[in-house]
Amino acid sequence: MAPARAPGSPSGALCRQLLLTLAILTFACDACKTVTLHVPAKLDAEKFIGRVNLKECFKSATLIHSRDPDFQILEDGSVYTTHAILLSSEKSSFTILLSNTETHEEKEILVLLEHQTKIQSDTAQNYTIYYSISGPGVDKEPRNLFYVERDTGNLFCTRPVDRETYPSFELVAFATTPDGYTPEYPLTLLIRIEDENDNYPIFTETNYIFKVFENSKVGTTVGQVCATDKDEPDTLHTRLRYSIIEQFPASPTLFSMHPTTGVITTTSSQLDRELIDKYQLKIKVQDMDGQYFGLQTTAACVINIEDVNDNLPTFTRSSYVASVEENRIDVEVLRVAVQDKDLIHTANWRANYTFLKGNEDGNFKIVTDSQTNEGVLYVVKWDDCTRFGEHFEKPLNYEEKQQLTLQIGAVNEAPYIGTSRSTMNMATVTVNVQNQDEGPECDPRVQTVRIRENVPVGTKNVGYKAYDPETRSSSGIRYMKSSDPEGWVDVDENSGVITILKRLDREARSGVYNISILASDKDGRTCNGVLGIILEDVNDNGPVIRQRTVIICKTVMSSAEIVAVDPDEPIHGPPFDFSLEGVLDSEVLRMWRLTKVNDTAARLSYLNDLQFGKYTVPVRVTDRLGQSLVTQLDVILCDCVTPNDCRTYEPRLRPGNGEVILGKWAILAILLGIALLFCILFTLVCGATTGAAKKPKVFPDDLAQQNLIVSNTEAPGDDKVYSTNGFTTHAVGGSAQGICGTLGSRVKSGGQETIEMVKGGHQTMESCQEAGHHHTLERCKEGGQHTLDSCRGGPTATDNCKYTYSEWYTYTQPRLGEKVQQCDRDNTHMQAQDYVLSYNYEGRGSAAGSVGCCSERQEEDGLEFLDHLGPKFRTLAETCMKR
């Protein structure tokens, strides 16, 4: 930063030791127009004084040149001094020349250098103006950084400013008269601090560590470094360049760095971890796009070379010789060593050993020592095998083979990716078997003999044989059995001959019976063997039906299938012959029948309509050689759909008899059930009688809608008086007043009137005619069919009718009265238009008058016309009377 002038200094510099550019945004610069840079009066050498926007003037410029050698112009427009300069009237500007070498086009930019910044008001010509400023850097933090001369308006800076802390300031300038009058509006001043390249670029890490596999291809990415710069972005001050300064080991050069991204890549495919496993680089980053005057920083970078399996394990010797005593097991015979240049204790270094030839009998195994990477050769352990026919390995036997030659190969755990054509190294191992004085030898270890089952007790047979491997003789060897599960045999101590102690049963041991034998010599040395007795089958078992209970669902099936099996060998087995066991006239033959299905199955079906229950049916099954067996089958005839639905029957039928036998408890249960039914029936009858006697007669709500009023008149009688409120009747000149449960009008017919209204069902009314206008009511009944017959009179009937009529009258009086009042009203409670209508006969007036539902016509009209109805009306009248 350039120094600025102290307040009142003759030089007029803004700040001492400060490079500051004050850009007051009061005008806009057009391309190729004059550019003004505000700088101190004294400029040091190689100092940044400002930046010119070259692109606005000439975008395609390829050559940038300053006509004044005291100034240097960079490609981003940054202006630097080449020497120390003291500004004067002669030294106050310079010209920048822009040119394009292809089009030969040139442009110039005039740069003016001013060392003072001044605020001036246009009203100063008319007034005495005092200048002042406020804002950050004046009366706000950082305070007292700027001040302005009151009378002249010159703006000064008092100390250096760090752009990274304060990139710009916004001040407000005021112009006032001595008396406080403000002739102009306040002026906003934007002061932008120009950046100086005063910050070094810094790597994000002081030491970088990368890794790359050996033998990698050219151009393989190793890693990327990164640096930051606090200076102004998108300027040369922050345009960084990366490079490798030094490599150790120096030769050959194997890495390169991209100058702008910092990515490190390989330049050779000859990276070999076995030669050099680590490289150290010294790297540099420089700003100013890597120009010599840019600031730079260095860092260290370590590149580790990762191992790949490019080296095969190699035997240190091509052949080995070892010896081992016969019959030794699980002992170390030899160690073979290999060399591998790959990284130790990794999959590229660890070796896997395998037999290529010579170990066909499986006498040896070879494993890898994880610490030394050696191959350890062992004689395998001889595991005891007691199961007949199982494969096992024999120990080394000097008498059979004195020397064995093994070929061994070695490979790594990881796949080989090297350039060698051979992928396996090989070595030869010769193993000499040493003789030793050994005990008896049980060879073969499992020996077999064949004996027919059911042979007589005491039968002798050849047994187990062991021998001395030196003499190949069995002399002097003693035998004893160490395991005999069933205790069927005895072993002779001297000869090994076996003697049968119990009956041998082939079916009990699945055809093979094993016993363990211990053979020993005179010195007490022993060997173990297994004697397998193969039991030959005889036809000693008849076919048997294993399913002893057969269920036949009589409702859906008439037979069941039975299956027989024979535990003997197939040559003594099927085809089977099935038959019913019994004499010719027995019940079994009359009730059951057997039909052969195949060689091992038959179908059992019943002949007659047998009762449900359980039956015992004896069935004889005979094999192909005549061996037979009778099986007693329990056959259940059940009332079911599937056998699983059938309950288990207790045996209550005699064999061959379908009679049902009831026990005393069954009879007692039946009697108790009958008694209980009688009690329930008696209770119901008594309850119904009592309820009928005590139950009051109640008329249902819909009585008025379910009654039929039978009348033989179309108009009121001469002696009837109607009341719309009480809906009562009055008879003139009648001697009988009892009406039973009825409501209507009396009919004048020969001095007798009959009125009836009865609820429900089919009803019949007959006139009861007696002398003296007397009528009685015989019965009053609800529901069903009601008949009003000729009554024989009497006070009792009349009283009953009065009682019934009183009940009915109390119930229907309010309801029928309400209905009658609303009879001639419509839904809106207005007078209906279709209720009171006049009906006329064709040609003449009606003798009966109106038949409206609420007519109160009282005149007496003759009904003689009813005797002269036409055919159609007479049929209708007769039909109504029948109903």
Side-chain angles (χ1 to χ4, degrees), residues 445-692:
R445 187 166 179 271
V446 176
Q447 302 176 19
T448 60
V449 295
R450 304 184 72 89
I451 304 175
R452 292 175 65 87
E453 65 171 331
N454 297 333
V455 296
V457 175
T459 302
K460 296 183 179 297
N461 203 324
V462 294
Y464 196 87
K465 286 295 182 182
Y467 61 91
D468 188 340
E470 306 293 337
T471 62
R472 310 302 297 179
S473 172
S474 299
S475 177
I477 297 178
R478 305 171 70 85
Y479 304 91
M480 63 176 296
K481 62 178 182 179
S482 59
S483 175
D484 181 8
E486 302 291 343
W488 283 352
V489 298
D490 185 33
V491 179
D492 186 84
E493 183 180 9
N494 297 317
S495 63
V497 174
I498 61 174
T499 303
I500 305 302
L501 299 179
K502 297 180 180 179
R503 173 182 172 272
L504 302 179
D505 187 359
R506 185 196 70 86
E507 289 73 29
R509 303 299 295 185
S510 301
V512 178
Y513 182 65
N514 293 330
I515 61 175
S516 300
I517 302 297
L518 180 67
S520 60
D521 60 7
K522 60 182 179 179
D523 296 327
R525 291 172 293 191
T526 62
C527 70
N528 292 299
V530 176
L531 179 62
I533 301 176
I534 301 176
L535 300 172
E536 297 179 349
D537 184 42
V538 296
N539 192 17
D540 57 344
N541 293 282
V544 63
I545 302 173
R546 298 194 183 279
Q547 184 179 356
R548 300 298 181 92
T549 301
V550 179
I551 298 176
I552 299 177
C553 291
K554 189 176 178 182
T555 57
V556 296
M557 54 194 294
S558 61
S559 62
E561 189 174 293
I562 56 177
V563 180
V565 294
D566 195 330
D568 291 328
E569 291 286 347
I571 59 173
H572 301 143
F576 299 143
D577 180 43
F578 294 85
S579 62
L580 294 172
E581 184 71 9
V583 295
L584 295 179
D585 59 347
S586 66
E587 291 289 336
V588 174
L589 298 179
R590 288 196 298 268
M591 297 169 58
W592 304 95
R593 180 177 63 188
L594 277 174
T595 305
K596 188 172 182 180
V597 176
N598 52 38
D599 290 346
T600 60
R603 187 173 301 281
L604 178 65
S605 57
Y606 56 89
L607 297 178
N608 302 317
D609 187 13
L610 300 182
Q611 297 182 3
F612 295 114
K614 184 175 181 181
Y615 301 85
T616 301
V617 181
V619 178
R620 178 180 294 276
V621 187
T622 307
D623 62 20
R624 66 166 63 187
L625 299 181
Q627 185 73 20
S628 65
L629 184 65
V630 176
T631 304
Q632 300 291 335
L633 297 181
D634 293 331
V635 183
I636 299 176
L637 289 181
C638 188
D639 184 10
C640 59
V641 178
T642 62
N644 293 333
D645 299 335
C646 185
R647 62 180 178 83
T648 303
Y649 279 84
E650 296 295 334
R652 54 187 178 85
L653 296 178
R654 292 177 297 179
N657 193 352
E659 256 182 57
V660 179
I661 301 176
L662 297 178
K664 59 182 180 179
W665 294 110
I667 296 174
L668 180 59
I670 293 173
L671 294 177
L672 290 176
I674 293 173
L676 180 61
L677 288 176
F678 274 111
C679 292
I680 294 174
L681 182 60
F682 180 77
T683 303
L684 292 176
V685 171
C686 293
T689 304
T690 305

